[in-house]
Amino acid sequence: MGVDDQMARYKRIDTGLKLLPVDLSRQLVPGTFEHALNHLLDHEMDLRTLDARARNDETGAPAYAPAVLLKVVLFAYSRGIVNSRDIEQACRENVVFMALSGDSAPHFTTIAGFIRELKDEIADLFTQMLFLCDAQGLIGREMFAIDGVKLPSNASKQRSGTRAEFERQADKIEGEVRKMLERHRQTDDQPLEPDLAKKESKRIEQLQQGAAQMRQWLKDNPEDRRGAKGKVIKSNRTDNESAKMATDKGVIQGYSGVAAVDSQCQVIVEAQAHGTGSEQALLLPVVEAMRDLIEEDSIVTADAGYHSEANLEQLAKLNIEALIADNGMRKRDERFADQDKYKSEPDPLYDKSTGGKKTRLFGPKDFHHDEESKTCICPAGEFLYQNGSQVVIQGREAVKFTGAQRVCGPCPLRDQCLRHPDRTPVRQVVFFTGKTHKPESHTDRMKRKIDSEEGRRRYGQRFATVEPVFANIRHNKGLNRFTLRGRQKVDTQWKLFCLVHNIEKLAHHGYAQ
């Protein structure tokens, strides 16, 4: 055998089952999230409110310590594990979970019940966390950015509707059952195949059960659900506190998770979940909840979804400095003049538009208006006569010109000038000259403030403050839907994920090392 034909010899690799001595305390390495979590719950957090649940001092089996269950749940959420069965499996197989739980391996029903029953205690734990973050110097109080994310919940979108719609559905199902039973009576003397008869009976039973459930829901909910302005909104028979929400991915049935984030270290200072898609209604509850953190020189920022005259008026009454964008902010900002070229074009396979590109109609810029002579000439070169010099439109003074019937009737440019040339006789055009002397609104003052150089600079920090937080929770932690039902339970789950984010901030800044 030559030198080139010789084979190298390596040590054998054995990946099978091993019985190894493991020091669980050494699996929590300083500087990691799990080490900070363990130290936090064992030495810093006051969990006596959770201890008060247990009533087994004289009778009953020993209970799992709340600190153990909270450690397991928060660490699981940090790894993107939400399902209680998966958490139980991790406690049996993952050495870090074993170290956090003391190798106790709680049952999945215990874990699920612990999360489900966290109510007021979670708010207390969140507040304690904020005190600790503040003590570590992680909260600057210079700027707070408020934003939210809409996530689907454990509810069926198909089971949404008003009471009237549910009543019609129940009537329809019951009518279908009557027809099926009538067909059975008419064919009693004709034998059916056993499998077909079994399927028919099962289908009738399912329909009757569905109708009975719907009737019971209508009995338990005698009134329609209404929004902030009293308008009837759709209820949901699986989770009536959730709501239908429009997102860029389509309509979902779920909740809005709102967070207020401090700009210094991106610590979440307030977290709430609400079953509404109206962001305007969510601003003030969040601001009220974080009032103790807002100082005289603090500023609250939010995007256009939270803008309304009522919200701005209330913030002014509370003497809170704010920068709340309006829908036209980017149109007024020259930095976004070419933003349309970055928008993705619609997929031609899903383009539902009918017809071709619409012809652009003549606008006020296409008319020549001379303020001194008070004349107006249309694109066809004809004079229009002035029929209003003291016109007020949405608080703005304007002058209005109208074409003559004898001129506009035979004009060859009618199709370019009038939206409905077949039924509109003449063209009218309005030129704004200024604003009336009515009192300045809160919206006007906010526009002037946010359009200033300082306002644009400070508002520009909002995006870099709050968006990375949602990226961490949604992408890194894998929160793509809420797995519980009911606002209180969903709010608990949202606060738990926000707790994970804040504990990470502590760990990254050297806490408990």
Side-chain angles (χ1 to χ4, degrees):
M1 180 181 294
V3 176
D4 295 338
D5 296 333
Q6 294 179 358
M7 297 292 292
R9 292 184 301 123
Y10 300 106
K11 293 183 179 295
R12 181 174 176 271
I13 298 176
D14 186 2
T15 58
L17 180 64
K18 297 286 184 180
L19 295 176
L20 302 175
V22 177
D23 185 354
L24 293 180
S25 63
R26 301 188 65 178
Q27 306 308 310
L28 306 177
V29 181
T32 61
F33 173 84
E34 53 268 24
H35 183 269
L37 172 64
N38 186 66
H39 179 85
L40 183 70
L41 295 181
D42 283 347
H43 301 95
E44 300 287 352
M45 304 287 283
D46 184 359
L47 303 181
R48 283 177 293 182
T49 56
L50 296 177
D51 292 332
R53 291 186 187 181
R55 295 289 186 272
N56 62 343
D57 51 341
E58 296 182 357
T59 60
Y64 289 98
V68 168
L69 296 176
L70 195 56
K71 288 178 189 178
V72 168
V73 170
L74 290 175
F75 185 64
Y77 281 12
S78 74
R79 296 293 182 91
I81 305 173
V82 181
N83 186 280
S84 57
R85 294 177 184 269
D86 294 336
I87 297 176
E88 178 196 357
Q89 181 179 359
C91 289
R92 294 196 309 265
E93 300 176 355
N94 188 290
V95 68
V96 179
F97 278 91
M98 293 179 185
L100 288 172
S101 66
D103 198 22
S104 57
H107 195 260
F108 76 90
T109 55
T110 303
I111 297 171
F114 175 76
I115 299 172
R116 185 174 60 250
E117 294 172 4
L118 278 175
K119 297 178 181 178
D120 298 334
E121 296 93 343
I122 188 64
D124 177 65
L125 294 175
F126 194 88
T127 302
Q128 291 186 50
M129 179 65 64
L130 290 184
F131 279 121
L132 186 58
C133 290
D134 196 17
Q136 297 293 317
L138 303 185
I139 301 178
R141 293 181 173 83
E142 180 182 352
M143 187 189 77
F144 300 101
I146 299 175
D147 209 343
V149 58
K150 299 174 182 177
L151 293 174
S153 65
N154 189 15
S156 173
K157 185 171 65 175
Q158 286 69 29
R159 295 194 176 189
S160 293
T162 62
R163 280 181 51 83
E165 291 173 344
F166 290 147
E167 287 176 354
R168 286 196 296 270
Q169 291 177 20
D171 291 340
K172 185 177 180 180
I173 293 173
E174 290 169 349
E176 185 65 27
V177 170
R178 286 193 296 269
K179 290 179 182 179
M180 295 177 71
L181 291 175
E182 181 63 26
R183 285 199 302 269
H184 270 269
R185 283 192 290 268
Q186 293 176 358
T187 58
D188 279 345
D189 56 341
Q190 300 177 9
L192 289 176
E193 296 181 10
D195 291 342
L196 184 59
K198 186 177 180 180
K199 288 181 180 179
E200 285 271 343
S201 300
K202 186 177 181 180
R203 178 59 179 164
I204 291 174
E205 183 181 350
Q206 290 175 342
L207 291 175
Q208 289 175 332
Q209 184 179 2
Q213 290 176 350
M214 202 173 297
R215 292 296 184 191
Q216 184 62 41
W217 188 93
L218 290 168
K219 182 179 178 181
D220 296 338
N221 298 269
E223 295 183 0
D224 273 310
R225 187 180 175 191
R226 297 186 179 273
K229 297 181 179 180
K231 183 180 178 181
V232 175
I233 59 177
K234 291 189 175 183
S235 302
N236 187 272
R237 291 189 289 113
T238 51
D239 183 0
N240 200 26
E241 293 183 303
S242 64
K244 274 192 173 182
M245 305 177 185
T247 68
D248 55 355
K249 305 297 183 183
V251 177
I252 64 170
Q253 185 76 36
Y255 290 84
S256 292
V258 187
V261 184
D262 182 81
S263 62
Q264 178 168 305
C265 295
Q266 295 177 322
V267 172
I268 300 175
V269 298
E270 180 57 30
Q272 298 178 7
H274 294 272
T276 175
S278 173
E279 294 177 324
Q280 293 180 0
L282 306 181
L283 178 66
L284 294 179
V286 174
V287 172
E288 286 288 350
M290 53 184 282
R291 280 289 300 278
D292 293 340
L293 291 171
I294 300 176
E295 298 179 346
E296 291 185 2
D297 57 347
S298 301
I299 188 168
V300 174
T301 63
D303 62 20
Y306 299 87
H307 182 280
S308 72
E309 179 69 15
N311 283 346
L312 299 184
E313 181 180 1
Q314 187 62 27
L315 289 175
K317 289 181 179 179
L318 296 174
N319 198 26
I320 294 177
E321 186 73 12
L323 285 174
I324 314 293
D326 59 279
N327 289 327
M329 186 200 70
R330 290 197 173 189
K331 294 181 180 179
R332 300 191 303 271
D333 193 339
E334 63 277 0
R335 295 175 299 177
F336 296 96
D338 58 346
Q339 62 178 331
D340 289 340
K341 71 179 183 180
Y342 297 104
K343 293 182 179 179
S344 57
E345 295 186 2
D347 189 336
L349 294 176
Y350 296 92
D351 187 5
K352 306 301 182 183
S353 60
T354 57
K357 189 176 181 180
K358 293 183 178 180
T359 304
R360 188 187 75 86
L361 298 177
F362 292 137
K365 294 181 180 180
D366 298 309
F367 291 74
H368 177 67
H369 175 221
D370 191 335
E371 295 184 9
E372 294 184 2
S373 62
K374 298 181 180 180
T375 59
C376 178
I377 302 176
C378 73
E382 300 289 346
F383 280 91
L384 281 69
Y385 65 88
Q386 182 174 337
N387 67 341
S389 59
Q390 299 297 328
V391 180
V392 178
I393 301 176
Q394 295 182 349
R396 302 172 65 188
E397 295 179 352
V399 292
K400 185 166 63 174
F401 291 87
T402 304
Q405 176 68 46
R406 59 177 178 79
V407 175
C408 291
C411 181
L413 301 180
R414 285 179 60 85
D415 291 341
Q416 294 177 257
C417 195
L418 300 173
R419 184 174 287 105
H420 303 289
D422 54 334
R423 61 175 185 264
T424 305
V426 296
R427 172 63 188 265
Q428 292 183 340
V429 62
V430 175
F431 297 95
F432 291 100
T433 59
K435 292 187 177 180
T436 60
H437 299 290
K438 72 172 187 176
E440 188 179 35
S441 66
H442 294 282
T443 299
D444 294 332
R445 284 192 285 270
M446 183 60 68
K447 286 181 180 179
R448 188 173 65 251
K449 183 165 62 173
I450 206 168
D451 288 342
S452 66
E453 183 177 350
E454 177 66 12
R456 289 178 178 178
R457 182 191 68 80
R458 300 192 74 178
Y459 183 80
Q461 299 175 4
R462 184 201 71 84
F463 188 87
T465 297
V466 70
E467 295 301 336
V469 173
F470 289 117
N472 180 40
I473 293 177
R474 293 200 63 186
H475 179 75
N476 296 342
K477 304 299 174 286
L479 180 62
N480 54 17
R481 70 181 299 115
F482 294 114
T483 58
L484 303 176
R485 292 178 181 173
R487 181 194 171 276
Q488 190 172 59
K489 296 174 185 177
V490 170
D491 183 72
T492 296
Q493 192 171 48
W494 176 243
K495 282 184 169 66
L496 286 171
F497 271 97
C498 292
L499 271 176
V500 169
H501 173 85
N502 286 348
I503 295 173
E504 279 188 337
K505 290 297 178 181
L506 287 170
H508 292 164
H509 284 80
Y511 173 75
Q513 291 189 20

